[in-house]
């Protein structure tokens, strides 16, 4: 599996950047994890939109779904131009099937709600989930193919239950929204010290720090995580790629 960082920022994109978005590739198939602000523009540097095979959305906060409607419009256009012959499945965590649905299916795309206990099998990869600790219904993702495992925390404050879910991951993509010593929990996020503890206790091979803050010196996050974690630490940036 290969994963490309499209958007490393939390809350809003830095100039020319994007919030949460990650392109996952396996055996020529492509799945988008989250679709935040600016993601759609950056994604097209790597592939045409009509080749996207599925989308999995961790939760519906704006910095994770802001470009989703535009992606659906792209699916309409590609369908009308005969560039897309099958509807794009868009899996949205916690979306309720009754009442007002802010993300309806459209021509060229099918919105599918999913929940914590479900398992998704997408293009040779298995997705399992853990409900995280955040202001909205949010699911961390574990993606496995053969012996390779990627875990994406999505948004969450620290809790010991994350350790088992992340255990022995080849790659942990962890939200790191605050610096060591700062109270991230009240915002539903983790700080660098907590991410380092999680990575060390879960015995992951590599941790990528994402959902980055717009204050302070983000390079400090790496040093702060290394106080707790003895493995490889990487600061997320648009275009970085990892293979497991």
């Amino acid at each position: 599996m290969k994963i490309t960082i499209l958007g490393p920022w939390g809350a809003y994109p830095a100039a020319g950047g994007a919030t949460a978005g990650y392109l996952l590739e396996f055996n020529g198939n492509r799945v988008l994890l989250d679709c935040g602000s600016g993601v759609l523009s950056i994604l097209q540097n790597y592939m045409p939109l009509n080749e996207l095979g599925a989308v999995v959305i961790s939760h519906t906060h704006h910095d994770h779904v802001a470009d989703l409607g535009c992606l659906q419009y792209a699916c309409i256009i590609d369908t009308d131009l005969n560039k897309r012959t099958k509807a794009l499945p868009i899996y949205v965590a916690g979306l309720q099937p009754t009442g007002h649905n802010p993300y309806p299916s459209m021509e060229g795309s099918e919105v599918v709600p999913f929940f914590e206990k479900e398992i998704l099998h997408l293009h040779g990869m298995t997705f399992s989930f853990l409900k995280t600790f955040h202001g909205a219904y949010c699911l961390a993702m574990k993606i496995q193919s053969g012996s390779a495992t990627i875990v994406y925390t999505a948004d969450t404050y620290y809790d010991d239950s994350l350790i088992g879910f992340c255990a022995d991951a080849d790659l942990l993509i962890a939200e790191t929204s605050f610096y060591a010593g700062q109270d991230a929990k009240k915002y539903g996020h983790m700080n660098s010290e907590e991410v380092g503890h999680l990575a060390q206790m879960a015995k992951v091979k590599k941790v990528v720090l994402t959902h980055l803050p717009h204050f302070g010196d983000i390079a400090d996050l790496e040093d702060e995580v290394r106080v707790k974690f003895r493995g490889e630490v990487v600061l997320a940036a648009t275009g970085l790629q990892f293979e497991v």
Side-chain angles (χ1 to χ4, degrees):
M1 296 184 289
K2 180 171 77 172
I3 194 160
T4 302
I5 307 295
L6 304 174
W9 295 102
Y12 63 93
T19 59
Y22 310 89
L23 175 61
L24 181 63
E25 299 176 83
F26 181 67
N27 286 346
N29 298 295
R30 298 178 172 108
V31 176
L32 180 64
L33 311 181
D34 284 340
C35 191
S37 179
V39 165
L40 208 59
S41 175
I42 292 173
L43 176 60
Q44 292 173 86
N45 292 323
Y46 300 93
M47 57 170 289
L49 298 179
N50 63 290
E51 293 183 3
L52 192 61
V55 180
V56 184
I57 301 295
S58 66
H59 67 297
T60 56
H61 279 165
H62 295 308
D63 52 341
H64 292 253
V65 295
D67 275 10
L68 188 55
C70 290
L71 175 58
Q72 290 188 276
Y73 288 164
C75 290
I76 293 173
I77 293 169
D78 284 340
T79 299
D80 288 346
L81 294 175
N82 296 316
K83 292 182 178 180
R84 177 172 288 281
T85 57
K86 295 180 5 181
L88 175 69
I90 301 173
Y91 300 91
V92 181
L95 194 63
Q96 296 300 320
T98 58
H100 173 66
N101 179 4
Y103 307 103
S105 297
M106 298 181 183
E107 182 184 7
S109 64
E110 180 185 7
V111 175
V112 182
F114 73 99
F115 298 87
E116 179 183 9
K117 299 300 183 183
E118 297 182 46
I119 303 291
L120 299 181
H121 299 281
L122 302 176
H123 304 292
M125 297 174 287
T126 300
F127 288 67
S128 55
F129 306 97
L130 175 73
K131 186 176 182 297
T132 69
F133 305 88
H134 196 52
Y137 184 90
C138 181
L139 296 181
M141 307 178 193
K142 181 185 294 183
I143 306 130
Q144 296 173 295
S145 178
S147 61
T149 300
I150 297 171
V151 175
Y152 167 45
T153 66
D155 288 7
T156 185
Y157 66 68
Y158 177 80
D159 184 85
D160 285 345
S161 63
L162 294 167
I163 295 172
F165 187 74
C166 298
D168 301 317
D170 298 287
L171 180 66
L172 172 62
I173 302 172
E175 76 112 290
T176 315
S177 301
F178 289 86
Y179 297 88
Q182 294 181 329
D183 184 3
K185 182 175 181 178
K186 70 178 180 180
Y187 299 102
H189 292 292
M190 289 191 288
N191 67 33
S192 55
E193 186 176 19
E194 292 164 330
V195 170
H197 175 75
L198 171 61
Q200 184 66 21
M201 295 301 293
K203 300 180 181 178
V204 305
K205 293 182 175 65
K206 179 186 298 184
V207 61
V208 177
L209 315 182
T210 194
H211 206 273
L212 302 173
H214 292 272
F215 54 90
D217 183 350
I218 58 173
D220 291 342
L221 295 171
E222 292 181 87
D223 294 333
E224 292 170 356
V225 169
R226 289 191 182 104
V227 171
K228 296 283 186 177
F229 178 55
R230 301 295 178 248
E232 185 177 356
V233 182
V234 181
L235 190 68
T238 296
L240 286 182
Q241 296 182 326
F242 307 91
E243 292 196 35
V244 298

